[in-house]
Amino acid sequence: MVGMKAAVVHTPGGPDAIRIEERPVPQPAPGWVRIRVHAFGLNRSEVYTRRGDSPGVRFPRILGIEATGTVDAAPDSGFAIGETVATVMGGMGRDFDGGYAEFVCVPAGQIRRLRTKLDWTTLGALPEMLQTVWGALHRSLRVARGGSLLIRGGTSSIGLAAATLAKHEGLTVVATTRNEQRFALLRKNGADHALIDNETISAELKKIFPDGVGGVLDLVGTSSLADSLACAALHGIVCLAGGLGDSWEIEHFSPMSTIPAGTYLTTYGSRVDVMLDMPWEDLLSKIESGVLRFQQGPVFKLDDIVEAHRCMDENRAEGKIVILT
């Protein structure tokens, strides 16, 4: 085994900054595992890294914060050759080379075995998306059957998946978009109500829920946060879990006037421990049986990674973009 195909960024920039190159196949250190990557999903955070906006990332770098595939080499790790696995985060694509390649090496402690009959196109979409959605809903928002949830940024892959899972778990779901033509997409994926998001939707939301909603999953970012807090009911929780609006800080933030009394503000960011601990077997079996259906976005080959990034940059996907290697 001499070389592998990889998508490499040498200098930060737009989609054209990504180059397909031949790279040496990485050798795993003790306690690390080499995965033969079969599929991976694209993530908005990889756009930030590609542009040079992820602090501390050194170039050249193979991007990619997730991967699915089979174990190819596993010295002193406890994994067996050929096992189907998934991995996310833990420094992938930032501190060390990530999943945009035919092979990737990661610490054994951030790998999850998956027992499933799903094809690679489906499986490749799931690790980062599912752990983000499940973690935000259950770790941060503590959702419960019969509750209500507002999802801002509803047509993103995370927003669509959150609506699907929340509806399956018995919540009433409101989701937002900037384009009325996407209302049908929101409803298809579990939203009971769809709203146009102009960053001040609290008045419209309260026509549906006069007392506010029990939970708000805000994927837009700091630009909509104050209004999201105004959408929450007494003892409701607002979870900031994304930055689709490309804004990460609030100028002149005044907690006493911005956070209503009795409303809780939290965040969720991708976590390896959630990926390891979440109920994968139950979720995968429901996906296999068709009980859970997540919106599939475009599928590309690794050679077409530049066009895949253009698709993500232009918000054309309407689902999780997957790359097959």
Side-chain angles (χ1 to χ4, degrees), residues 1 4 9 16 38-39 42 63-64 106 135 154 175 260 268 271 304 309 317:
M1 192 182 299
M4 68 171 185
V9 174
D16 289 329
H38 291 284
L42 295 196
L63 303 184
V106 298
Y268 184 79
R271 295 174 59 100
D304 300 317
H309 263 250

Side-chain angles (χ1 to χ4, degrees), residues 221-226 229 240 247-254 258 265:
T222 57
S223 61
S224 60
L225 182 58
L229 287 161
L240 186 63
S247 175
W248 298 96
E249 297 180 352
I250 303 175
E251 290 187 15
H252 312 299
F253 177 60
S254 174
T258 305
L265 173 61

Side-chain angles (χ1 to χ4, degrees), residues 162-317:
T164 298
L165 188 58
K167 185 64 177 177
H168 173 73
E169 296 189 1
L171 281 83
T172 300
V173 179
V174 184
T176 74
T177 175
R178 293 184 181 274
N179 185 350
E180 189 172 348
Q181 293 180 350
R182 290 186 165 184
F183 279 5
L185 177 67
L186 294 176
R187 293 191 175 104
K188 175 186 173 184
N189 285 272
D192 299 284
H193 307 277
L195 296 176
I196 291 292
D197 200 331
N198 57 11
E199 295 187 359
T200 53
I201 64 167
S202 54
E204 286 299 309
L205 177 96
K206 288 184 177 178
K207 293 178 182 178
I208 306 169
F209 292 95
D211 296 325
V213 291
V216 181
L217 178 60
D218 193 327
L219 302 170
V220 175
T222 57
S223 61
S224 60
L225 182 58
D227 190 62
S228 289
L229 287 161
C231 291
L234 180 66
H235 301 152
I237 303 174
V238 176
C239 175
L240 186 63
L244 294 172
D246 235 2
S247 175
W248 298 96
E249 297 180 352
I250 303 175
E251 290 187 15
H252 312 299
F253 177 60
S254 174
M256 293 293 289
S257 60
T258 305
I259 304 174
T263 298
Y264 301 92
L265 173 61
T266 187
T267 64
Y268 184 79
S270 297
R271 295 174 59 100
V272 171
D273 63 324
V274 171
M275 192 273 292
L276 296 175
D277 295 341
M278 60 187 282
W280 275 102
E281 289 78 9
D282 178 60
L283 292 168
L284 291 176
S285 68
K286 287 176 178 176
I287 296 169
E288 288 176 2
S289 66
V291 172
L292 273 176
R293 296 180 183 273
F294 293 102
Q295 181 76 17
Q296 180 70 60
V299 180
F300 296 86
K301 294 290 189 181
L302 183 58
D303 285 335
D304 300 317
I305 190 76
V306 171
E307 178 55 31
H309 263 250
R310 287 198 187 100
C311 181
M312 183 163 56
D313 276 11
E314 296 166 7
N315 299 314
R316 292 188 275 118

